[in-house]
Amino acid sequence: MGRGAAQLMDTKTKKRRREDEKEEKEGEVARKGSSEIFADCSFSSLGLHSALCDQLRERMGFEAPTLIQAQAIPVILAGRHVLVNAATGTGKTVAYLAPIIHHLQSYDPKIGRSQGTFGLVLVPTRELCLQVYEILQKLLHRFHWIVPGYVMGGENRNKEKARLRKGISILVATPGRLLDHLKHTSSFTHSNLRWLIFDEADRILELGFGKEIEEILEVLGSRQAGSTDMGIEHSSISNGQRQNLLLSATLNDKVNHLAQISLESPVLIGLEDDKRVHVDPSLARHKLLGSDDDADDDNDNDNDLPRSSSAKDYNLPAQVVQKYVKVPCGARLSVLLSILKHLFEREASYKIVVFFSTCDAVDFHYSLLSGFCWSESGTELKKEKFLKCKTFRLHGSMEQEDRRTTFQSFKTEKSALLLSTDVASRGLDFPKVRCIIQYDSPGDATEYVHRVGRTARLGEKGDSILFMQPVEVDYLKELETHGVSLTEYPIVKILDSFPLYGQTPRGGKKSVFLDLHPWLLALQRALESFVTTEPKVNILAQNAFCSWVRAYTAHRGELKRIFMVKKLHLGHVAKSFALKQQPSLVGGSHSKKLKKDQKQRGLAKRRKVGSGRK
Ligand SMILES: Nc1ncnc2c1ncn2[C@@H]1O[C@H](COP(=O)(O)OP(=O)(O)OP(=O)(O)O)[C@@H](O)[C@H]1O
């Protein structure tokens, strides 16, 4: 064997060894992940009725409870108020639904529809409402006398009224619509209400439903005796039979406040000792929780309440691989498309969610990806779709029916791409999502965690990629203060692997500037030419450009030092929407709107731009 051949063999052996090591490591992570997720016991040992255990196994395919279920179910069965704080995708939904069903199915005589609602689950978004309702339907299959139902924004009120009149035993609802029915649907019976659950409590509050929640608690008589609201003392209206549960993957002062006003001597589940603050029970209802003055870490009793948000309050699955990619603004779009192409071509079945800051950005990228064709050989005739995967979009400005169809379709697809605003960042359980791309920065670290939480669910593999511009790198430090650390994504290696007009642009002289990479230059040219010649896409690009800048200006106070509008080069921003010119040069109305928005910056709340409520 010649020296060259021997060297080649050596390289091949080394490569294989590296791959074997990688596989072994992944297997180890999966094994470790499994023991960290599932409990070493059965559902029946937790006290659940055997028919329900059979249902969990046969209908849902759940052999054993997750750790969080094993902790929460016995406590909820025992009737205690509970605050659950656990990582995304750890099975919180069944943790609260199973004990409710267990109790309801045991009522003798059996409950009837005329008795109205016994369990009420509040959720922040319509999609989550449908998701919880579907799980309920499956769990209740054997218990046909327990009727599941939902009410939510965007649905026909009269039809909902009719369903409420007939009677719904366990109702899933978004807060605004629920309050509407509580006030205006006289046939809605809730006098037997026994369980009130706040799922994704932090998101409910972030979306500005705080006032509605307080009103709901008032109307239902679930507000804790003696709790105060801006100094106003409320009378004792708590019902001895009532059990309230609060679930949240992240904690903050607002969640603490909700816990304070709704939970009575709660048991805290999933909270490590260092997140707890001991509170004198007599003071608990009169203070905003989480004050460090109350700290007493040695005391691990039920009056410990969570501290306000700190580094360790951010729960992410251990196996998720978190990367960042540093991209100059003008090359953002072509890099995004390149990464998507690379990921979808690498594996036959692959699901990705890309998060954007605005509805307009989702619409633009959706129509771009739906129509953009490309030819690797450079010949017009051989053009084909740049991305061949199925693409979906989801945001709050879409018609309810479209939102529903997207949600259902993306769930069942084996290989697909979902472009979304933060409407999909909370609680949604899309099976087998392998990668999360945060194309627009999430702003708060909390939002980062929830977006990433859509992958690596229940011990599965998952990757996340965060886009950032070189001037925004301090955001990594911000995430680090919350215990989240990222490594760099090998973007150049991936770009180098693409064939360009029949040749792979390897070797040769390499530019230090990513945006001068020949593949990206060619792709950017093709994208700009597509957007120029497609009037509809062009309008969407201009709208998306304006909304994007508005969202950028609306970053929260302390993040403004990282996301500096002054440092934005609007021409480069325009390029990131495949526009050859920035919209202010194209149409007057956009630039006027932009200038006005820039003046008002700081006032607008970023979340309003792409929030789930829209
Ligand atoms: N015991 C179990 N065995 C197997 N799979 C389970 C079990 N419990 C839940 N799952 C599955 O795990 C996934 C995550 O569950 P769920 O959506 O309830 O998590 P979560 O903790 O509420 O997540 P998030 O914080 O993102 O809302 C779902 O697909 C669910 O079907």
Side-chain angles (χ1 to χ4, degrees), residues 68-212:
I68 213 72
Q69 288 162 356
Q71 284 177 62
I73 289 172
V75 180
I76 301 175
L77 282 175
R80 295 291 304 269
H81 287 231
V82 165
L83 169 57
V84 181
N85 170 243
T88 50
T90 48
K92 293 191 281 293
T93 320
V94 163
Y96 66 78
L97 288 181
I100 298 177
I101 297 170
H102 167 90
H103 279 302
L104 278 182
Q105 62 79 36
S106 70
Y107 281 19
D108 190 15
K110 283 187 170 58
I111 62 163
R113 293 189 79 161
S114 61
Q115 288 167 284
T117 300
F118 287 84
L120 182 55
V121 182
L122 281 166
V123 292
T125 64
R126 299 169 189 183
E127 283 73 19
L128 193 53
C129 191
L130 289 176
Q131 181 174 295
V132 174
Y133 170 70
E134 277 171 21
I135 297 169
L136 245 185
Q137 274 185 314
K138 284 189 193 160
L139 286 173
L140 288 174
H141 197 64
R142 288 177 191 221
F143 313 106
H144 55 88
W145 63 97
I146 307 173
V147 181
Y150 66 88
V151 293
M152 63 182 196
E155 291 285 307
N156 183 310
R157 268 193 190 74
N158 290 333
K159 283 188 185 160
E160 287 184 348
K161 272 177 194 268
R163 290 207 299 266
L164 287 171
R165 194 178 311 118
K166 277 190 178 170
I168 294 175
S169 324
I170 306 178
L171 180 68
V172 192
T174 52
R177 183 55 68 93
L178 174 73
L179 191 59
D180 190 338
H181 285 298
L182 283 174
K183 286 178 173 170
H184 306 117
T185 306
S186 54
S187 56
F188 175 20
T189 306
H190 48 80
S191 51
N192 288 317
L193 189 73
R194 181 166 162 196
W195 295 276
L196 180 57
I197 297 108
F198 299 96
D199 196 353
E200 300 289 342
D202 51 346
R203 186 60 173 169
I204 295 180
L205 298 169
E206 274 165 31
L207 287 176
F209 284 123
K211 214 171 142 279
E212 280 90 342

Side-chain angles (χ1 to χ4, degrees), residues 233-253:
E233 185 95 7
H234 294 269
S235 60
S236 174
I237 44 178
S238 86
N239 178 337
Q241 273 294 301
R242 194 66 57 77
Q243 186 182 1
N244 295 347
L245 318 171
L246 213 147
L247 299 102
S248 194
T250 45
L251 294 173
N252 57 39
D253 286 342

Side-chain angles (χ1 to χ4, degrees), residues 342-362:
H342 166 74
L343 294 176
F344 279 111
E345 285 178 1
R346 197 180 58 174
E347 275 179 51
S349 294
Y350 210 82
K351 270 161 96 170
I352 303 180
V353 181
V354 184
F355 283 103
F356 296 90
S357 58
T358 70
C359 305
D360 286 338
V362 170

Side-chain angles (χ1 to χ4, degrees), residues 275-513:
K275 286 189 198 166
R276 298 178 182 197
V277 172
H278 177 67
V279 179
D280 179 337
S282 62
L283 298 174
R285 288 177 186 47
H286 295 272
K287 290 181 91 168
L288 187 68
L289 307 182
S291 149
D292 276 345
D293 301 345
D294 298 321
D296 179 1
D297 287 347
D298 296 329
N299 194 338
D300 187 18
N301 76 18
D302 293 343
N303 294 316
D304 289 348
L305 287 155
R307 286 174 196 277
S308 12
S309 161
S310 75
K312 288 179 184 146
D313 294 339
Y314 294 90
N315 277 311
L316 267 174
Q319 74 280 15
V320 66
V321 179
Q322 301 175 74
K323 304 264 179 202
Y324 70 89
V325 59
K326 209 164 47 177
V327 188
C329 190
R332 274 164 48 81
L333 182 62
S334 46
V335 169
L336 173 68
L337 265 63
S338 306
I339 293 178
L340 290 174
K341 192 174 177 63
H342 166 74
L343 294 176
F344 279 111
E345 285 178 1
R346 197 180 58 174
E347 275 179 51
S349 294
Y350 210 82
K351 270 161 96 170
I352 303 180
V353 181
V354 184
F355 283 103
F356 296 90
S357 58
T358 70
C359 305
D360 286 338
V362 170
D363 285 341
F364 160 69
H365 289 90
Y366 176 75
S367 51
L368 178 85
L369 288 176
S370 307
F372 178 56
C373 292
W374 162 265
S375 156
E376 276 178 6
S377 62
T379 23
E380 276 296 307
L381 284 175
K382 289 199 176 154
K383 270 190 175 177
E384 46 184 44
K385 266 190 85 185
F386 185 81
L387 276 189
K388 294 185 189 82
C389 63
K390 279 199 180 160
T391 304
F392 298 93
R393 68 184 179 121
L394 187 66
H395 62 68
S397 299
M398 284 164 59
E399 291 293 320
Q400 182 54 33
E401 203 39 48
D402 294 341
R403 278 173 75 166
R404 188 195 293 261
T405 321
T406 295
F407 173 63
Q408 297 298 359
S409 314
F410 187 66
K411 257 183 145 174
T412 48
E413 286 296 339
K414 281 209 164 57
S415 197
L417 168 66
L418 174 68
L419 311 177
S420 181
T421 58
D422 282 331
V423 74
S425 70
R426 299 296 178 109
L428 294 193
D429 183 47
F430 295 117
K432 308 264 175 228
V433 169
R434 266 303 309 276
C435 181
I436 298 297
I437 299 183
Q438 309 204 37
Y439 183 60
D440 291 333
S441 157
D444 283 351
T446 313
E447 207 49 52
Y448 173 90
V449 167
H450 283 284
R451 286 173 168 192
V452 173
R454 296 316 99 208
T455 187
R457 293 176 75 72
L458 215 74
E460 291 204 337
K461 280 202 276 185
D463 300 333
S464 86
I465 304 170
L466 173 71
F467 269 67
M468 58 177 49
Q469 296 181 43
V471 290
E472 299 166 348
V473 283
D474 276 357
Y475 188 59
L476 291 176
K477 287 189 200 139
E478 166 72 18
L479 288 177
E480 251 164 45
T481 63
H482 294 283
V484 177
S485 51
L486 283 65
T487 53
E488 191 156 9
Y489 185 76
I491 185 63
V492 177
K493 202 171 138 206
I494 281 151
L495 298 178
D496 282 350
S497 71
F498 286 115
L500 185 62
Y501 305 142
Q503 296 165 3
T504 310
R506 271 197 214 98
K509 212 174 146 209
K510 286 198 176 153
S511 168
V512 282
F513 300 108

